[in-house]
Amino acid sequence: MNAFPSQSLSSLDIPTQFDIIVVGAGAAGLYAALCLPDRFQVGLISKDTLQTGASDWAQGGIAAAIDPSDSPGLHFEDTIRVGVGLCDQEAVQFLVKNAAASIESLLEMGVAFDRKGEKLAMTLEAAHSRPRVLHAADTTGRAIVGTLTAKVLERPNIQVLSGAFALSLWLNPQTGHCQGISLLYRGQIAWVRASAVILATGGGGQVFAQTTNPAVSTGDGVALAWRAGAILRDLEFFQFHPTALTKPGAPHFLISEAVRGEGAHLIDSQGNRFAFDYHPAGELAPRDVVSRAIFTHLQKTTADPADTCVYLDLRPIESERIRRRFPNIIQVCQQWGIDVFDQPIPVAPAAHYWMGGIATDSMNRTSIRGLYAIGETASTGVHGANRLASNSLLECLVFAAQLSGIEIESNLVSEESLPVLREKGDWGDRIDRIASVRQSLPSLMWQSAGICRSQAVLEEAIAQVNSWRGELSAFETAQYVLNLPPTQGVTFDLPTAEQQLRTAAETLNLLDIAYLMLKSAAWRTESRGGHYRTDYPQTAPNWQVHTLVQGDRWWTSPSSFVSD
Ligand SMILES: Cc1cc2nc3c(=O)[nH]c(=O)nc-3n(C[C@H](O)[C@H](O)[C@H](O)COP(=O)(O)OP(=O)(O)OC[C@H]3O[C@@H](n4cnc5c(N)ncnc54)[C@H](O)[C@@H]3O)c2cc1C
């Protein structure tokens, strides 16, 4: 960093402070920003344009026990059963009891859920004992995010910074409180102060080669929080969705669970309906069971299981119903030459949802004062070892609503003017090397920490990932992410610098979450929920504990949780 101070940050058109910063503009971040008391000046930060997170892609819907034939008690039981002994009972109670209020609030804002006559229409999804999934065709997430975004843009106390990348957390060296973030924005790195920071950065599916997640899901919040010393929980638990479109050249577009809920069959290349050979609930068994059934069936029946797929046959569903319920799936399949009325869709499992994350309490507080986490980046305890379908959008909303009661200790200052370095931003072939690691990592993770895991393979992967982490963290680009002092801003001359630095930062984040996931997976010598070990295929009662990590300290938490 050969540079010289040139100008003060206040002249750079980047706000220097907010009362509260929300990082992430998915369902969790948007709803949080709306729930925060409007006396606070809120900065809502999104590394991309708005509406690019997983929330926008959610298809199936949002679970809520609001039908008279249903009850929060039944929703509680289903959630706990799928979480295989690791759900936090209090968190789940809180989720299911507050579901109705969240739906009410969405309806008031104008989210147009599908109706059957006057009543809200509800679908049955896997492992739910009642039809309780509200939907807006098969673009439920878009309907919710679109409405929340419009509301956010109307609010004078919320300033949206899109295309702004949170690089690191800013802790007060004396108190250890979180007092802001460093931000890569408009070719500069700025330090932005806040009395509270809320991480709502979503999941980390991009760490795997096969994923349903959007490009922004690089686990940034978990990586930032870990580097700042926050406690993380249950990072080995990742849910693999059984049915992502599998066609050469096509993205791993999710074929929603709701399709099986409506009656589609899973068949192999011979046309055999095989799911009942693996579980009595067949296609509607929990996701991990169906994913493993596909994986095992392909291993048994095909020469190269990695290269092939099974099929989802929608023909048992009435055509009119398919048309009404799945217009988006019909259209995307059509784009890839598949007529769902006439032929089955080629599908295979893909990484979908990260149950683990930053450990939080019922008020979304992390172990660092002033730092909060919500949505997929948090581990609130509601999902345990596996997530019940359509509970995650609900979790985003129910927990974000808690922020209406947030208390903050102001640490804002009246006038700030940090010195700023002027840099060229030219990192030459280092960037090619970073890009090549970024390309190799997801394949390694898919092979070693995907649907089936084992000790030797996990350990080999840890060694490889650690070697990449060591190599890349010595690069100059990494210094802006890992070691830039909070007394220093930076401005870059080259227009390419911002994109390159973002690639470097995301790659470092992916490497850190890969390391944490692999270590956690190697440590848990049993199979449970989304974590399956071929060398320890049974669920072990002594492992009914959470894995926690802070820095390089790992431990398990005694179970204040439900028993199997
Ligand atoms: C294809 C698909 C279908 C799904 N279907 C359903 C469903 O039907 N029902 C259900 O309940 N769940 C579903 N899920 C899961 C659910 O959508 C997600 O768990 C949930 O939307 C996560 O919301 P979020 O707000 O935490 O994160 P996201 O919606 O992913 O938003 C993350 C935000 O953080 C921003 N961000 C990330 N890192 C940074 C950074 N460093 N700096 C600044 N900004 C950053 C991103 O730009 C984005 O705005 C689905 C997921 C996928 C991928």
Side-chain angles (χ1 to χ4, degrees):
M1 285 192 235
N2 305 319
F4 51 91
S6 63
Q7 59 194 128
S8 82
L9 267 191
S10 52
S11 64
L12 291 180
D13 195 23
I14 298 180
T16 54
Q17 55 186 14
F18 292 100
D19 292 311
I20 301 178
I21 291 175
V22 180
V23 185
L30 290 164
Y31 199 61
L34 290 168
C35 292
L36 289 168
D38 61 10
R39 65 178 182 280
F40 295 133
Q41 289 303 313
V42 176
L44 181 62
I45 312 287
S46 169
K47 69 178 173 183
D48 227 304
T49 51
L50 292 177
Q51 303 197 218
T52 45
S55 305
D56 190 60
W57 287 17
Q59 300 177 357
I62 177 164
I66 53 177
D67 191 81
S69 68
D70 197 359
S71 71
L74 290 171
H75 190 182
F76 174 84
E77 281 170 21
D78 294 343
T79 304
I80 294 279
R81 193 181 54 252
V82 171
V84 215
L86 285 187
C87 291
D88 178 327
Q89 290 198 63
E90 273 177 34
V92 179
Q93 285 288 6
F94 180 73
L95 178 83
V96 298
K97 282 194 176 152
N98 288 289
S102 291
I103 299 299
E104 197 55 45
S105 153
L106 292 182
L107 289 169
E108 267 170 34
M109 287 187 199
V111 176
F113 289 117
D114 291 346
R115 290 182 181 262
K116 212 175 184 176
E118 289 293 288
K119 287 176 64 183
L120 289 163
M122 275 171 253
T123 295
L124 181 67
E125 283 193 351
H128 286 272
S129 57
R130 294 283 187 283
R132 66 165 71 96
V133 178
L134 289 90
H135 45 81
D138 56 354
T139 45
T140 311
R142 191 149 304 155
I144 296 174
V145 169
T147 303
L148 296 180
T149 303
K151 292 283 168 198
V152 158
L153 295 175
E154 282 169 13
R155 286 278 292 270
N157 70 313
I158 303 174
Q159 185 176 351
V160 177
L161 302 185
S162 51
F165 187 99
L167 279 175
S168 64
L169 297 173
W170 180 8
L171 299 197
N172 182 308
Q174 271 84 46
T175 63
H177 291 195
C178 184
Q179 59 179 12
I181 59 172
S182 69
L183 196 62
L184 178 63
Y185 186 49
R186 297 185 175 166
Q188 299 144 24
I189 298 175
W191 290 90
V192 187
R193 199 179 268 276
S195 301
V197 172
I198 301 168
L199 292 173
T201 50
Q206 287 296 327
V207 81
F208 290 106
Q210 319 285 346
T211 182
T212 62
N213 285 193
V216 293
S217 305
T218 49
D220 296 358
V222 172
L224 264 63
W226 179 60
R227 292 202 285 266
I231 297 177
L232 314 179
R233 180 166 52 196
D234 293 341
L235 300 174
E236 62 275 35
F237 293 113
F238 212 104
Q239 183 176 82
F240 297 92
H241 197 288
T243 54
L245 175 66
T246 302
K247 198 141 196 219
H252 292 283
F253 174 75
L254 183 86
I255 311 295
S256 163
E257 188 106 11
V259 174
R260 279 172 287 131
E262 294 287 352
H265 295 174
L266 268 177
I267 54 174
D268 61 19
S269 56
Q270 305 301 308
N272 300 317
R273 190 178 177 193
F274 61 89
F276 285 93
D277 299 347
Y278 297 89
H279 193 278
E283 284 92 355
L284 293 184
R287 285 181 181 171
D288 61 305
V289 175
V290 181
S291 289
R292 260 193 323 277
I294 297 174
F295 185 86
T296 314
H297 196 71
L298 285 174
Q299 279 196 321
K300 275 196 212 158
T301 56
T302 59
D304 185 359
D307 233 15
T308 155
C309 61
V310 294
Y311 297 86
L312 194 57
D313 190 355
L314 275 64
R315 289 171 297 186
I317 314 172
E318 222 182 290
S319 303
E320 192 36 50
R321 201 172 176 80
I322 301 178
R323 240 173 240 117
R324 195 176 63 248
R325 283 289 283 113
F326 308 116
N328 194 35
I329 291 175
I330 297 173
Q331 199 203 337
V332 172
C333 286
Q334 229 158 29
Q335 269 171 24
W336 296 100
I338 304 154
D339 175 2
V340 302
F341 297 99
D342 212 36
Q343 65 196 117
I345 308 171
V347 291
H352 186 56
Y353 184 85
W354 198 4
M355 276 73 73
I358 307 163
T360 52
D361 66 10
S362 61
M363 300 300 288
N364 308 300
R365 289 177 291 222
T366 70
S367 59
I368 295 179
R369 282 191 76 174
L371 181 67
Y372 298 75
I374 46 169
E376 194 168 334
T377 200
S379 165
T380 59
V382 302
H383 306 302
N386 208 354
R387 177 189 69 121
L388 183 68
S390 290
N391 263 357
S392 42
L393 284 175
L394 181 64
E395 180 196 34
C396 289
L397 303 176
V398 166
F399 282 83
Q402 289 289 82
L403 291 164
S404 63
I406 193 170
E407 306 274 352
I408 58 171
E409 297 163 33
S410 178
N411 65 8
L412 303 187
V413 294
S414 50
E415 184 64 28
E416 248 191 333
S417 156
L418 293 181
V420 174
L421 298 177
R422 193 169 189 113
E423 296 276 1
K424 196 153 177 236
D426 178 11
W427 298 296
D429 57 2
R430 295 298 209 195
I431 289 300
D432 294 342
R433 177 66 188 139
I434 291 169
S436 121
V437 169
R438 168 108 187 225
Q439 181 114 47
S440 305
L441 175 69
S443 303
L444 176 78
M445 286 297 284
W446 184 247
Q447 282 151 19
S448 54
I451 296 167
C452 291
R453 305 162 168 180
S454 66
Q455 196 71 27
V457 178
L458 287 165
E459 276 169 11
E460 258 179 55
I462 293 170
Q464 176 63 75
V465 166
N466 268 342
S467 143
W468 282 332
R469 286 172 75 224
E471 182 190 348
L472 264 56
S473 61
F475 289 4
E476 191 189 65
T477 40
Q479 304 312 309
Y480 297 108
V481 183
L482 305 175
N483 296 326
L484 187 73
T487 47
Q488 189 72 78
V490 185
T491 183
F492 297 102
D493 287 343
L494 285 175
T496 47
E498 181 168 345
Q499 187 49 47
Q500 293 189 351
L501 198 49
R502 178 174 158 167
T503 304
E506 282 186 343
T507 307
L508 289 167
N509 291 342
L510 285 166
L511 284 168
D512 281 349
I513 65 163
Y515 163 73
L516 292 165
M517 240 182 241
L518 289 164
K519 282 265 290 196
S520 308
W523 194 25
R524 186 176 284 277
T525 47
E526 65 150 2
S527 292
R528 185 184 291 269
H531 168 72
Y532 186 78
R533 294 275 308 245
T534 50
D535 44 356
Y536 296 94
Q538 305 303 328
T539 300
N542 62 322
W543 267 109
Q544 195 183 333
V545 289
H546 295 273
T547 51
L548 293 131
V549 54
Q550 182 177 36
D552 278 323
R553 193 165 73 89
W554 303 73
W555 71 104
T556 56
S557 81
S559 188
S560 58
F561 302 88
V562 292
S563 49
D564 275 326

